[in-house]
């Protein structure tokens, strides 16, 4: 299993930066070919698929299991990463350097660590002739960081045959440990993801010379609406995974959980509170604002974009609140991707718990809701159940949440070795 460290380091060295624009996105094909070669070395037949856009490589391989009864399990990782600015880092972000007990580089936690772990386990299973209880489909995908248009989203539309018989999937973002009290580790399994919405607000007013009296200024009206929406707090709604998670943390720490004011329990979570806290309510954050073209001209239009994240079942209520806050003089456009959610039970969850506790006996597993979105949104269109499970044991003081898309992204070598052992156990009994 030690090869997982070398695999993670080598994967990081492929600069698979996804800028969102095809001309400047590079490296995915080379990384996908590297993965395909490693799988073929271990006896797999692989399928390499590009979307219409050249270079956006995806690799899929299937290991037949003992029984078809429960359908296949998809183990997917994305190979693309968000950009990194080398001058801000302690090491070069595409060096894959192994030092100080960490593997460093862009993608170390999002999510080449999981690509390396699943590749290490797949290779071992292939070499040793392991027959898992059900078919395993290993997938290494492009373009997750821009919504999966050339990756999961494209495959689901154009090559659903590659996922024939798949009923469940594991991937990011879950399976990592959170130290909630001295030596007490909870492992967070993602059972839900918020919905994602793209909200564009625009106003139209009377244009003219900047020196005149203006009572119908599109920019000022939009700015006021943006400020109102920014200041608006959406209601606290405790969805089942969030309630179960906070109940679990309360039980592990002895800190009482008050459903009307979960802040006491949240306070025990350290840096992860930012992510868990975002699961308590809908959010709308303004990300772009554009208006005007000349310093002495009042323009006729202005527009702003909000990144919106809605709890499962809240999209309609969310939009009613937005309309009430911004008012009738602002028009809106809306695009959304649905939430993901499943229950925290069944054979797959039992196998996760057994695999984790075999390696970390006092650990507890807790469900949680991710405030962001992943490729799970695409795969659920095929009716595939998603659980975020990319096991990692983390040191108590590591600000794991900040490493996603962050500077000095890195993964602990011990945690990676632990994760590969857990994944190996899990996939033998999934
Ligand atoms: Zn990711």
């Amino acid at each position: 299993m030690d090869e997982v460290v070398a695999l993670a380091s080598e994967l990081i060295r492929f600069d698979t930066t996804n800028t969102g624009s095809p001309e400047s996105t590079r490296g995915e094909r080379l990384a996908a070919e590297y993965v395909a070669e490693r799988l073929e070395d271990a006896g797999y037949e692989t399928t390499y698929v590009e979307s219409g856009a050249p270079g956006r490589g995806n690799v899929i391989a299937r290991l037949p299991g003992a029984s078809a009864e429960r359908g296949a399990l998809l183990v997917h990782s994305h190979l693309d990463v968000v950009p990194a600015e080398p001058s801000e880092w302690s090491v070069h972000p595409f060096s894959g350097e192994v030092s100080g007990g960490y593997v460093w580089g862009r993608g170390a936690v999002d999510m080449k660590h999981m690509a390396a772990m699943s590749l290490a386990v797949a290779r071992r299973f292939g070499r040793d002739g392991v027959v898992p209880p059900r078919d395993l489909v290993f997938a290494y995908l492009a373009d997750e960081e821009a919504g999966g248009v050339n990756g999961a989203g494209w495959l689901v539309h154009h090559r659903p045959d590659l996922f024939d018989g798949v009923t469940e999937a594991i991937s990011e973002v879950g399976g990592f440990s959170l130290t909630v009290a001295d030596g007490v580790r909870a492992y967070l399994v993602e059972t839900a993801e918020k919905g994602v919405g793209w909200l564009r607000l625009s106003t139209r007013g009377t244009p003219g010379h900047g020196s005149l009296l203006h009572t119908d200024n599109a920019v000022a009206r939009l700015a006021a609406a943006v400020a109102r929406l920014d200041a608006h707090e959406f209601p606290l709604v405790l969805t089942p995974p969030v309630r179960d998670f906070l109940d679990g943390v309360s039980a592990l720490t002895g800190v009482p959980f008050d459903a009307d004011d979960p802040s006491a329990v949240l306070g025990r979570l350290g840096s992860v509170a930012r992510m868990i806290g975002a699961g308590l309510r809908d959010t709308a954050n303004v990300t772009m604002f554009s208006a005007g073209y000349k310093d002495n001209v009042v323009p006729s239009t202005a527009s702003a974009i909000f990144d919106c994240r809605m709890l499962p079942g809240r999209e309609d209520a969310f939009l009613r609140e937005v309309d009430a806050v911004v008012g009738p003089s602002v028009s809106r456009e809306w695009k959304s991707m649905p939430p993901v959610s499943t229950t925290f039970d069944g054979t797959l969850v039992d196998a996760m718990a057994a695999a984790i506790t075999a390696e970390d006996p006092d650990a507890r597993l807790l469900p949680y809701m991710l405030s962001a979105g992943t490729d799970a949104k695409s795969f659920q269109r095929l009716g595939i159940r998603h659980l975020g499970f990319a096991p990692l044991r983390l040191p108590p003081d590591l600000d794991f949440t900040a490493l996603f898309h962050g500077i000095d992204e890195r993964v602990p070598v011990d945690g990676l070795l632990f994760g590969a052992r857990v994944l190996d156990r899990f996939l033998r009994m999934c």
Side-chain angles (χ1 to χ4, degrees), residues 78 110-111 144-145 172:
H78 63 82
D110 188 8
M111 63 173 293
E144 191 274 346
E145 298 291 359
E172 58 180 352

Side-chain angles (χ1 to χ4, degrees), residues 15-84:
D15 177 353
T16 53
T17 299
N18 186 349
T19 61
S21 83
E23 317 75 65
S24 54
T25 293
R26 54 192 188 272
E28 286 169 332
R29 179 173 61 83
L30 295 175
E33 285 172 353
Y34 167 88
V35 168
E37 276 170 30
R38 295 295 162 297
L39 288 169
E40 283 163 18
D41 276 354
Y44 288 83
E45 268 178 43
T46 64
T47 306
Y48 176 87
V49 196
E50 284 184 5
S51 70
R56 312 306 300 270
N58 299 275
V59 171
I60 291 93
R62 189 180 281 251
L63 181 65
S67 159
E69 208 175 296
R70 285 175 47 240
L73 177 71
L74 171 64
V75 182
H76 61 98
S77 308
H78 63 82
L79 294 176
D80 63 319
V81 297
V82 295

Side-chain angles (χ1 to χ4, degrees), residues 210-245:
S211 66
L212 302 175
L213 292 174
H214 281 275
T215 54
D216 180 30
N217 185 319
V219 186
R221 194 143 38 79
L222 183 69
V226 165
R228 283 198 301 279
L229 187 53
D230 177 65
H232 179 72
E233 187 173 68
F234 291 87
L236 173 71
V237 178
L238 281 181
T239 53
V242 175
R243 179 180 288 274
D244 290 349
F245 174 78

